Amino acid sequence: MTSHAIQAGILGVGSYTPEKVLANKDIEKLVDTNDEWITTRTGIKERRIAGNDQVASDLGIEAGLAALKDAGINAMDVDLIIVATSTPDMHYPSTACIIQDKLGCKKAGAFDLAAACTGFVYAAVVAEQFIKAGTYKNVLVIGTEVYSRVVDWEDRSTCILFGDGAGAAVFGPVAGDKGFKATTLGSEGSGGDMLTLPCSGSRIPFGETESVNARAVVQMQGREVYKFAVRVMEEGTEEVLEKAGLAKDDIDLVVPHQANIRIIEHYAKKMKLPMEKIVANVDKYGNTSAASVPLALDEAYKQGRIKSGDNLLLLGFGAGLTWGAAVIKWA
Ligand code: UT7
């Protein structure tokens, strides 16, 4: 049973953000808000908006290509593609299949995974299972979102928060003591009503045009989600560190979901971690949901903030409600 000895880790990362920048000042022209409110309440200064001709698969392909290049593998080497998204091109074909075709990953299985903003962390944990079981070698995980198409641009409480983007990582076998050290996934479906995108499913059938259109946008009880976020980030960290047999100080870099700088700062304070040990780029991209963790990871990597042997803590939380954490030693 050699499969039990296989360690999964990250072989390469990449990301892509659309060119168009929408600054807080631009949103002032759309809704009754201002740069000062958005900056102090969220830390967001600007976000990226996909071009009219761009959909989730387009962003995901760019991020995926960059991750394959970074990993030094070809499209034909990919065994499985998992796409974490809440804004797929359509219900089916899955965005993963669209990307599989366009990237030319002819030997890969492909599916979408729905865990909202926690999607990338969930998908990473799924990837780890296939690799350590010996089923697959190279798993391409992509988080890609075009939230600008599903927010109500007349609702100031949500439209200021989100942005478009994609991030990706190639997971595969790694040597020595590198790779995944521990993971945890959680869900709290009882809180599902706090954050919903109630459209296009079986509950609200297609064809009920007016009511569907009125509800085909993100709806959020911001304060409640905020409380949930700070709670599970802490709990998730404690749990995954205990499982990994590591102390807080053993973590070199935390890569949290980017929803609000206040959530990240609250976490840093509670965990007594210096902000230098936490990646925060919410100011530039807003909340890119399933793309936010790999986007932040890729940025930190490109900035030279990650070196071989570093212990990373990926932290996700979001609709479902869901959360997840993974400690990964960088190969
Ligand atoms: O990725 C999924 C997870 N999502 C999150 O983690 C989001 C978590 N929640 C949050 O980040 C924060 O709750 C928000 C940023 C969404 C909101 O910040 P808040 O400090 O909780 O503000 P609030 O919703 O309590 O609103 C405070 C006031 C309200 O006015 P009144 O009732 O006090 O008069 C709002 O109407 O701010 C008003 N407000 C705004 N004012 C100017 C709400 N949105 C805006 C706005 N501009 N854009």
Side-chain angles (χ1 to χ4, degrees):
M1 293 291 283
T2 51
S3 61
H4 287 156
I6 301 171
Q7 262 304 110
I10 294 178
L11 307 181
V13 289
S15 65
Y16 171 80
T17 50
E19 272 172 39
K20 185 179 171 189
V21 175
L22 188 72
N24 292 346
K25 285 274 171 211
D26 303 319
I27 299 190
E28 286 180 6
K29 293 170 204 149
L30 304 175
V31 287
D32 180 16
T33 190
N34 55 74
D35 175 46
E36 205 259 331
W37 192 96
I38 302 172
T39 305
T40 50
R41 299 281 180 137
T42 71
I44 299 166
K45 295 299 287 182
E46 59 188 41
R47 69 287 292 143
R48 298 298 177 95
I49 304 292
N52 291 338
D53 57 344
Q54 284 182 309
V55 290
S57 63
D58 297 315
L59 277 53
I61 284 166
E62 297 300 330
L65 272 174
L68 291 181
K69 189 167 176 227
D70 188 47
I73 67 164
N74 299 315
M76 287 296 277
D77 299 326
V78 177
D79 300 305
L80 179 68
I81 300 172
I82 310 174
V83 172
T85 183
S86 309
T87 52
D89 293 15
M90 60 188 85
H91 265 275
Y92 56 80
S94 68
T95 301
C97 280
I98 295 167
I99 292 176
Q100 176 270 330
D101 177 43
K102 292 193 177 160
L103 282 182
C105 300
K106 291 189 193 298
K107 296 201 294 203
F111 65 90
D112 288 357
L113 184 150
C117 301
T118 322
F120 184 83
V121 177
Y122 261 74
V125 175
V126 174
E128 187 212 4
Q129 309 313 308
F130 280 112
I131 296 159
K132 74 179 181 192
T135 312
Y136 292 130
K137 203 162 161 234
N138 297 313
V139 181
L140 175 61
V141 174
I142 300 173
T144 182
E145 302 281 15
V146 184
Y147 259 70
S148 60
R149 305 258 159 80
V150 297
V151 292
D152 179 354
W153 285 102
E154 292 179 359
D155 175 11
R156 68 177 183 174
S157 70
T158 51
C159 75
I160 57 145
L161 300 171
F162 295 94
D164 303 337
V170 178
F171 292 86
V174 289
D177 68 340
K178 308 282 171 54
F180 282 84
K181 294 286 143 195
T183 61
T184 179
L185 297 177
S187 63
E188 218 166 272
S190 57
D193 285 350
M194 286 180 202
L195 183 48
T196 61
L197 181 46
C199 67
S200 72
S202 55
R203 183 162 294 282
I204 305 173
F206 293 107
E208 291 180 12
T209 47
E210 261 181 51
S211 63
V212 170
N213 287 339
R215 301 183 66 190
V217 288
V218 174
Q219 296 172 23
M220 178 167 69
Q221 296 167 31
R223 282 194 176 187
E224 295 311 311
V225 177
Y226 189 104
K227 284 185 227 159
F228 164 77
V230 295
R231 172 168 62 81
V232 297
M233 279 177 80
E234 241 184 283
E235 287 174 5
T237 300
E238 304 285 4
E239 196 181 320
V240 86
L241 285 180
E242 196 185 327
K243 274 190 186 175
L246 294 173
K248 208 181 50 195
D249 291 343
D250 296 325
I251 296 298
D252 298 291
L253 198 66
V254 183
V255 188
H257 172 46
Q258 309 285 314
N260 187 327
I261 194 67
R262 282 161 54 216
I263 293 175
I264 295 173
E265 286 171 351
H266 180 105
Y267 170 79
K269 204 168 156 201
K270 282 293 280 247
M271 302 304 296
K272 298 195 175 63
L273 282 167
M275 280 302 282
E276 299 78 62
K277 278 197 168 189
I278 307 178
V279 184
N281 64 3
V282 68
D283 56 325
K284 285 185 287 188
Y285 304 113
N287 181 344
T288 57
S289 193
S292 96
V293 168
L295 194 53
L297 176 64
D298 187 48
E299 183 171 292
Y301 171 66
K302 294 218 168 77
Q303 288 170 346
R305 292 175 72 182
I306 307 173
K307 57 181 190 314
S308 179
D310 277 356
N311 284 318
L312 305 191
L313 169 58
L314 310 189
L315 271 179
F317 58 86
L321 300 167
T322 53
W323 72 92
V327 176
I328 304 173
K329 202 180 184 77
W330 196 255

